[in-house]
Structure formats: structure tokens, C-alpha cells
Amino acid sequence: MRVLRFLLFVFLAAFLGAGAGLGYLAYALTRDLPDLEALDRLRLTATSTLYARDSSLLAALASVEEGRAIHRSLVRLSEVSPAALAALVFSEDRRFFSHYGLDPVRLLGALWAILQGDLQGGSTITTQVIKNTLLKDLAQARTLERKFKEWALALELERRYTKAEILEMYLNVVPWGGNAVGLKGAAEAYFGKDPSALTLAEGLYLASIVPAPNARYADLKGVRARMRLLLDGMVAEGWVSPEVAEAAWREPVAPKGWRVRYDGEGNLLEAELVDPEARILKAVDFRFAPHFVLEVRRFLEARFGKEKVYGEGGLKVYTTLDPVMQRAAEAAAKGARLPEGAELAIVGLDPETGEVLALVGGVRRAGDEYNRATRALRNPGSAVKPFVYAVALENGWTQATLVPDRPLEFPDPSQKDGVWRPKNFSGTFLNREITLRYALDLSLNLPAVYTAHSVGIEKVAERLARAGFYVRYPTLAIAIGGASITPLDLAAAYAAFVNGGYRVAPQFVSRVEDAKGRVLYQAAPERVRLFSPEVAYQGWDLLKGYVYDLGERGLAKGARIPGRVVGGKTGTTNEARDLWFAGVTRGLSAVVWVGRDDNRPMRMGGREPSSSVVNPPIWRAFVAEALRGRPGGDLPPPPGLVAVRVDLLSGLPSPSGVAVYFPRGREPLPPPSVEAPMEGPPPEVP
């Protein structure tokens, strides 16, 4: 009896000593705990999401940590499929809603494991939140310090937050393998879905791999076995009915990267991991319009900084991209016939607001980040001439003003003999005076140079600079393409001819919100006055003339769209280094540029290509599809303009001539035998 009492005393003393020792150890290891308030201040690196103008998903911009992209987007409980949520909770912590941060069953098991030297076990959803946030530096350490700190902080976390808040934290901080963090990233990485669309079977798959996602991703057979156990457990404990469980088991779950085959009973017959990288989300993960997305990323980083773009829960970015127009632009680019080695850029923007509706920055190379639409600063060739003539119209000229097409000479110290003798593209001259309108119809260089010289090259240079052209020196050469501009800026400048005279600032983003829905940026149109409404409309009239006046001889006949009135101008630089077509119509200003990245001369079928052959068909293919079903009629003239039919060559009124707009009181006077000017809109352009 004494021996028994002695042994009992020894056991009790040992137990109390062990408890006291364990208690002291716990105290020592938990004296320096992180402040739980840090959870409120915690900045999670997060994915910023981009949306098209119809609110469809366009792209995701991931942050980069330690050289790799991390995809994490915050998700609310209300945004998660209830079936997937049930699968996760049952798998990870089925008593989550009944314990206080520590599961007594798991805790006893963990303590027993610790006494045996195994530091695993005892994990709950609450402790996993702690491990992946406040104790992230110790997450991989199997030490008593981590365990005791987890448990202490878990109790405090449960005291301060509701179960729903803790569960939501868990869904946003748990790593799911590859570069996916949080349920939203996992749903996209493994199934290409939003969490709200996850099925019970998919939720079971994600629940089965989360303890060791990288290893279990490669073992689909083992994961299926785990899913079966979870389903049986959920049925046994009343979480789901047998019928629901059976339907989930028969669902043919196919994670990204796997080629699988099931029978009708849900048995996995074949499974092959064909693309292990399929679940890895890229730093820029776009559905389409890659160059547009990269331009939006550049804007966001410049305006908000990388910390704001990728941290603090990420951003919701509503862009200006029109998916219908973008697909039309991409189809036109894909079907384009280009010179050897040439690249292409297409831009379409709203002429009223400057919103970029479609953009193609290149077509030759996959993964090419060089955006020719916004970065290719090239000479526009004859596409600059409408601006030269618009300056002349502003200074009292009309479309019927006569300009010479004959050899001209101008002093130029940069030339060998100190004289510049510009030439037409063809090398020939009409050797007579012709109307300004006819000079543009034929895209003659000498009349444009003469016009710039007559109205003042400084005036022309100033207006071109205001329109977005880069003018290095105000020389007469800028009148025929000596300035430089990008395709995007040329589209923004051409908008002035159909919006009443304003150059619009291109916009890629309409609104930016933070993770809490607060508006950080709201776009507003930025417009710079270039011309009066009367001059701008006469410029539009000139552009229409370039497309329609000469019928089948017209240089832009390939841009005509049945049922739609369009206007535009081609441009070809020396040795065909750049080919352009800039065009406008109701609701759209669009530009097509073709050229080589190395700026070498282009050849097509062994010959020097012309912009009149290459570019208008591409432009037409884009615009016709982009504006299908939208109004296509002419634009109404502003007050003060009248239409008169005139002879293109002489500028005299002629009943068989083309309809041309003039300021009231400045229209050409008819000979006595010619009918008086007609007022109002001209007959519809064919």
C-alpha cells in the first residue's frame, strides 16, 4: 500500500512538474507575441483585376515576390460557393464553428505528439490564419515556439473576431501551391473559375491538396482517394446527402494541366500530367488584348505606384476596352497582307472622349511586349497634310483655293547647294494651279509645301505640336511628313475632324477602385482645341473627298464601307519605311500603321509597297466589323457652312462637280450660266 501511494505521489509530482515545466516553457515562448492589431493593418500583396468596358474580366496583374509572381485576390464569404466552402471547412477543421480557436480533440493529439517528439498536429483554421500572417516567418519551422505562439494568438483571434471574419481571413491567406495564394487564386489556377462557380467536387479537390499542394497536385490518384474519404465522412456526419455525395464523386474533375478519363461511376481510368506549368498564373494574365493590358499596367504603376497596385488588397480597374471592337481589330490584324518583315499597329478610339476602344500593338511575335501603337514614334508621311490644309482654312483659305503643282525651290542650308526642291511621290507635276481639295485627293507634296510656306511654317508647326506631333524643327518638310507621331496620338489628333475641332487625350482607364470599393480614380475627357467647328468640319469634308472624290482612281477606295460614310488619309514615307491610314467616321477615329521595327525600307513581292494598297483594306476590315449595327450616316455641318458643287480642278461651281462645303459668303461665285449654290446637305455620298 505504501509502495502504491509512493508511486502515485511520484506520478503526481512528475505530472505537476511536467505541467509546470510545460507552462513555464509556454510562458517563455509566448512572452514576445506579435500585436494582433497588425491583422487590421496587414497589407496582403494581391492581384489587381482589370475589366473591359462591358465589365467582363480582361486580365489580372500579379505582384512579384522574390522573383516570382504571386496571385492573390481577396474574396468575401458571400463570393464563395457554399458547396466548396463546406468541403474546405469539413476537411480542414470540421469543428471550427464549435471550438474557440483550439480544437480540444486535435489539441490533445498534438500534446501527445509533442511528448513523443513530433511537433505536428493541432492545426485549426484559426491557427492557420495566424501561421500564414503574424507568424509567417516561422511557418516552416517545426518548433515548440511556433506551436505555443499559434495557440496563444488563436485564442486572442477568436476573442476579437467573429467566426465568419476568421474564415474569410483563412480563405485569403492560405497558399495553394504554385503561385496561388488564397481561394480565389486557387480557383483560377486549378480550374479557371471564380470561387462562386466552384462545385462540391472541385471544392473537395482543393481541400484535399491544401495540406501539401505541390506534392498532391502531381498525385491525382491519391487526391481522388482523399476526396472519397472526405465525401464518406461528410455523409456520415450529415454534411451532405448520399445522393449529393454520389453526384460529386461522378463529376469528372480535371485540374489544369491534367488529361483525365473517368468511367460513369467516377472511377479514374487514365490520368496524365501533361503540363505541370498550366496552374502557374503569369505576372500578367490576360484573356486577350495583351498590348492594351500592358499599357494599363504602365498607367497604374505610374499613377499609384507598385505598392498600391499589388498591395492593400489589389485594385479593381475598369478599362475603356470594347471587347467587340478589340476582336475586330485582332481579326483584321491577323488577316492583313503585310510586306516582308513588317509589323502592324491598329488603334481605335472614341473621338468624343478619347477612350481607347481597341488596340493591337504588334502581330509577329508571341510574348512581344513592345507596343507599336503607343511607342512607335514614326514619320506620318502624307497623313499630316489634312492638318496643314486645316491651318490654311483657318487663315481664310477654302477648299477651292488654288495652289500650284509645279517645281518649287526654297532656301535650305542643310541641302548640298543650299536649296530644297521638294518632289511629288510620282516625281511628276501637273504644272498648273489646282484646288486645295484636288491637291489632297491626289496627295501631292508640292501644293502642301506651298500652303505651309504661304500661311507660315511657324503657324503650322505650332498647330502640329498641339495636335500631338513631335516637331523637332519648324521646317517646310513637316508639311509632308517631317514631324513624328505614334499611331495612338495620330488617332487622337484625327478625332478633331469629327468632334468639333478637339484633339482628345487617349484614355485606357475609366475608373479605379480599391479592395473596399472606394474610387481612387475617375477619368474625365481631356480635350485641346485645335480648330473651330467650321474649320474642323471642312477638314472632315476634305477627308471624305480623299475617299470618294476620284471614284475607282481614289487612293483610299479600299477604305470604303457600304452604308457608312468615312474619311481618311494615307501616308507613305521615303522608301516605304512607314505606311499609314488614318480614318474617321461617326463614333470612331482609327489608325493603321505598318512598318519594320528596324525602320528599314519595306518590300512586298519584290516591289516598294504603297500605303494606298496595304493599309485601307486593313482599316476597312477593322472598322466595318467594329461598328457593325451602329449608325453610319454623315455628320451634320455646323451653322455657317454651305455646300456647293464645284469642279475639282478649277474650283468653279459646276452642276456635275463634287459637293464641297464653304463658309457662308465665301463660296465661289458661279459664272452667269451656272446654277446658284445649293444650301443644306449635299446628296448622299456613294
Side-chain angles (χ1 to χ4, degrees), residues 420-441:
W420 181 45
R421 300 178 179 87
K423 298 180 180 180
N424 289 326
F425 183 79
S426 65
T428 63
F429 313 94
L430 295 177
N431 283 313
R432 61 163 294 170
E433 291 187 333
I434 58 175
T435 64
L436 182 150
R437 181 169 177 129
Y438 192 43
L440 184 69
D441 285 348

Side-chain angles (χ1 to χ4, degrees), residues 123-163:
S123 177
T124 64
I125 284 176
T126 312
T127 58
Q128 288 189 63
V129 170
I130 298 298
K131 182 179 73 172
N132 287 288
T133 54
L134 302 179
L135 299 182
K136 194 171 183 179
D137 292 341
L138 299 175
Q140 303 304 317
R142 296 173 59 187
T143 63
L144 278 175
E145 178 185 5
R146 195 200 87 188
K147 280 297 177 186
F148 281 124
K149 285 184 174 180
E150 277 182 11
W151 295 340
L153 289 168
L155 293 172
E156 183 63 14
L157 187 66
E158 291 274 349
R159 188 182 71 83
R160 296 194 184 190
Y161 297 93
T162 66
K163 286 290 187 179

Side-chain angles (χ1 to χ4, degrees), residues 216-252:
R216 295 189 181 187
Y217 171 68
D219 180 20
L220 185 55
K221 184 178 180 180
V223 171
R224 287 292 291 176
R226 170 68 178 164
M227 290 171 62
R228 180 74 265 180
L229 290 175
L230 287 175
L231 276 173
D232 292 343
M234 294 180 79
V235 171
E237 297 191 26
W239 285 58
V240 296
S241 68
E243 294 76 18
V244 168
E246 190 59 27
W249 178 248
R250 293 185 180 187
E251 182 180 325

Side-chain angles (χ1 to χ4, degrees), residues 257-536:
W258 279 91
R259 182 167 58 231
V260 299
R261 187 166 65 89
Y262 293 87
D263 64 15
E265 301 300 317
N267 298 309
L268 186 62
L269 301 180
E270 292 182 15
E272 181 183 2
L273 183 56
V274 294
D275 184 7
E277 298 297 309
R279 66 176 176 148
I280 304 299
L281 301 174
K282 300 176 182 177
V284 181
D285 183 32
F286 47 80
R287 302 299 171 92
F288 60 110
H291 289 100
F292 181 94
V293 170
L294 293 173
E295 196 64 26
V296 172
R297 181 180 69 172
R298 190 180 72 86
F299 166 81
L300 294 173
E301 291 180 355
R303 185 175 184 89
F304 300 107
K306 293 184 178 181
E307 174 66 19
K308 193 74 174 178
V309 176
Y310 306 120
E312 302 180 31
L315 302 176
K316 290 185 177 180
V317 183
Y318 297 90
T319 74
T320 61
L321 189 81
D322 185 309
V324 172
M325 293 191 180
Q326 179 63 27
R327 292 187 179 95
E330 292 180 357
K334 186 177 180 180
R337 290 183 63 248
L338 301 178
E340 292 83 1
E343 264 291 356
L344 170 148
I346 299 176
V347 175
L349 57 77
D350 186 322
E352 297 294 332
T353 65
E355 293 179 322
V356 179
L357 305 171
L359 183 145
V360 174
V363 295
R364 290 291 187 191
R365 298 185 298 275
D368 175 22
E369 294 193 4
Y370 179 54
N371 189 345
R372 293 152 192 86
T374 61
R375 297 288 178 269
L377 188 65
R378 309 292 280 261
N379 291 345
S382 294
V384 74
K385 290 175 183 174
F387 297 92
V388 176
Y389 291 137
V391 174
L393 295 171
E394 190 176 56
N395 282 269
W397 295 32
T398 72
Q399 296 187 65
T401 298
L402 297 179
V403 290
D405 181 39
R406 58 173 62 98
L408 300 171
E409 293 184 354
F410 301 95
D412 187 345
S414 67
Q415 301 298 317
K416 182 179 295 185
D417 57 358
V419 177
W420 181 45
R421 300 178 179 87
K423 298 180 180 180
N424 289 326
F425 183 79
S426 65
T428 63
F429 313 94
L430 295 177
N431 283 313
R432 61 163 294 170
E433 291 187 333
I434 58 175
T435 64
L436 182 150
R437 181 169 177 129
Y438 192 43
L440 184 69
D441 285 348
L442 296 175
S443 195
L444 298 174
N445 288 340
L446 290 173
V449 175
Y450 170 82
T451 302
H453 176 71
S454 298
V455 301
I457 190 59
E458 290 79 11
K459 289 182 180 179
V460 174
E462 183 276 333
R463 198 58 52 87
L464 291 182
R466 201 190 310 175
F469 291 83
Y470 174 67
V471 182
R472 190 172 183 180
Y473 302 112
T475 65
L476 288 173
I478 65 176
I480 53 175
S484 300
I485 198 166
T486 66
L488 177 67
D489 285 333
L490 190 60
Y494 262 72
F497 295 117
V498 290
N499 69 11
Y502 294 93
R503 190 263 185 191
V504 292
Q507 294 182 349
F508 290 82
V509 175
S510 58
R511 188 173 79 257
V512 178
E513 299 177 358
D514 65 13
K516 295 182 179 179
R518 294 174 297 197
V519 177
L520 305 179
Y521 169 81
Q522 182 72 55
E526 298 178 25
R527 293 149 59 104
V528 175
R529 170 69 75 181
L530 290 183
F531 309 110
S532 68
E534 296 77 18
V535 168

Side-chain angles (χ1 to χ4, degrees), residues 25 50 56 89 91 102 147 158 179 186 198 207 227 230 240 256 440 456 533 548 556 559 602:
L25 182 61
L50 277 56
S56 62
V89 174
S91 174
L102 302 180
K147 280 297 177 186
E158 291 274 349
N179 63 350
L198 290 172
M227 290 171 62
L230 287 175
V240 296
K256 283 185 181 179
L440 184 69
Y548 298 105
M602 289 184 288

